[in-house]
Amino acid sequence: MSDTMHLTLTDRIEEPGNIIRLRFARADGAPLPPVTPGAHLDIHLADGALDLWRQYSLCSDCSQTGFYEIGVLRDPNSRGGSEAVHRLAQPGTVFKVEGPRNHFPLTETAAHTVLLGGGIGITPMLAMAQRLHDLGHDFTLHYCTRSADVTAFRQMIAAADWRDRVVFHFDDQPAEQRLDLARDLPPPAADTHLYVCGPQGFMDWIINTAEAAGHRTANVHREYFSATVDTTGTSFEVVAQRSGLTVTVGPEDTIAKALARAGVKIEVKCEEGVCGTCVTDVLEGSPDHRDKFLTEDERADGTMICACCSRACSKTLVLDL
């Protein structure tokens, strides 16, 4: 479990495209826990009846120890988290924060790295680009947005020492200026790594194309900010072995909710199977994985499940709870 911190919002910077860049620091100015590229923060959003945890990737230089910086898109189609951040994030406000945690680590031994960010998915790529530059490694950053007018972080990138490694792609420009995977993906190689973050459709397109071209699944790294997930299905039983309880998970229910009603609490944050907070060990049974967090190897192993969204292929799951 990551330690809980109470951090003060020191700066709010309005970026194009309904994105805000937020800087957090300790009130006393003391150093923050170290971070690595790809790390994120869990931020608690509490406002009246609102009580949510949401995850945001760090976009700041990881060598800085005095502050953390994130970017947040205001998305009216979200479940309320982004709207709450834009409303609550005023300089001087104190937020409850957990982390940093990193489920999207950078392979620093790669001979060549390609970073592909779509929209707000650029945030972890900024920290990765800075780190790769500091190491003197070969990399290219492809940044895709709808148009130049809604492209956030352009001033930050323009001031970076690695700005010549960035290729911008805008949807409203001629086809040759847009991202072309046949042209822009490197040939598959054991020491070439790809990193992908952005909207689900954008990510699925790149991941599927890269793997079809021969890139190893282990070399195609991905982090989903959100995902469309169907949590419904046939009823099944879950046995919480250490607690000695058995519950029924109904067609519209989830494992986490069914267990919580019986008094067995699993910590849940994203509720979409993207953050990994609710991963639980499976002792018996066959999971029906609905998440975007576990790797294909972890899914095939069948010993873990994201309890916020996944279900069971077998009639019963026995969990280590």
Side-chain angles (χ1 to χ4, degrees):
M1 178 69 68
S2 300
D3 290 337
T4 299
M5 299 177 284
H6 290 85
L7 301 183
T8 301
L9 182 66
T10 60
D11 294 279
R12 172 180 173 139
I13 302 165
E14 303 289 338
E15 295 277 357
N18 272 334
I19 290 172
I20 50 176
R21 183 153 42 107
L22 305 177
R23 181 173 289 189
F24 298 90
R26 294 190 191 273
D28 60 2
L32 291 163
V35 297
T36 53
H40 70 268
L41 298 177
D42 295 332
I43 297 182
H44 187 225
L45 303 171
D47 183 31
L50 184 74
D51 184 7
L52 301 173
W53 283 94
R54 290 294 179 262
Q55 295 72 41
Y56 298 101
S57 293
L58 289 158
C59 60
S60 46
D61 182 349
C62 292
S63 67
Q64 299 289 337
T65 60
F67 63 88
Y68 294 144
E69 202 164 80
I70 64 172
V72 183
L73 168 68
R74 184 176 186 178
D75 182 0
N77 297 318
S78 73
R79 293 169 296 144
S82 70
E83 294 278 2
V85 173
H86 277 249
R87 182 175 67 254
L88 299 173
Q90 303 300 325
T93 303
V94 177
F95 285 86
K96 183 180 177 181
V97 175
E98 289 186 358
R101 296 193 295 165
N102 198 340
H103 303 309
F104 191 43
L106 180 66
T107 300
E108 298 188 349
T109 57
H112 180 55
T113 301
V114 176
L115 311 172
L116 301 114
I120 192 61
I122 193 64
T123 49
M125 307 303 176
L126 299 173
M128 291 182 176
Q130 182 63 55
R131 176 61 176 166
L132 290 167
H133 171 78
D134 291 344
L135 292 171
H137 288 353
D138 182 35
F139 74 95
T140 303
L141 168 55
H142 292 278
Y143 183 10
C144 304
T145 66
R146 295 193 307 277
S147 70
D149 292 342
V150 296
T151 300
F153 309 106
R154 291 190 76 181
Q155 291 185 349
M156 174 193 288
I157 293 170
D161 293 335
W162 39 266
R163 57 188 174 274
D164 60 337
R165 302 292 189 96
V166 182
V167 182
F168 291 95
H169 303 278
F170 307 126
D171 291 346
D172 62 355
Q173 294 298 307
E176 61 269 16
Q177 197 273 333
R178 300 174 204 158
L179 183 66
D180 180 346
L181 297 182
R183 176 195 65 203
D184 297 324
L185 288 182
D191 53 2
T192 293
H193 287 253
L194 312 180
Y195 292 80
V196 188
C197 189
Q200 184 172 347
F202 169 85
M203 293 183 62
D204 291 345
W205 169 53
I206 293 174
I207 293 165
N208 292 337
T209 303
E211 293 182 350
H215 288 273
R216 291 165 40 189
T217 299
N219 286 22
V220 184
H221 310 272
R222 73 285 314 259
E223 181 171 65
Y224 287 87
F225 279 153
S226 63
T228 301
V229 58
D230 178 9
T231 62
T232 63
T234 306
S235 296
F236 59 97
E237 288 193 337
V238 168
V239 177
Q241 181 163 287
R242 285 188 283 114
S243 301
L245 290 172
T246 299
V247 299
T248 298
V249 181
E252 304 291 329
D253 212 352
T254 69
I255 294 172
K257 290 177 181 177
L259 286 171
R261 288 195 298 271
V264 180
K265 184 173 175 56
I266 298 175
E267 187 175 11
V268 172
K269 288 183 176 175
C270 75
E271 301 175 275
E272 295 180 327
V274 298
C275 78
T277 301
C278 67
V279 170
T280 304
D281 290 337
V282 177
L283 301 178
E284 295 179 31
S286 177
D288 176 8
H289 296 291
R290 309 285 182 92
D291 66 283
K292 292 287 188 179
F293 178 77
L294 297 176
T295 66
E296 291 303 318
D297 287 345
E298 288 169 336
R299 289 180 176 211
D301 193 40
T303 59
M304 293 184 288
I305 192 168
C306 286
C308 74
C309 64
S310 293
R311 303 186 66 82
C313 295
S314 53
K315 292 183 178 180
T316 302
L317 283 181
V318 181
L319 304 182
D320 187 21
L321 293 168

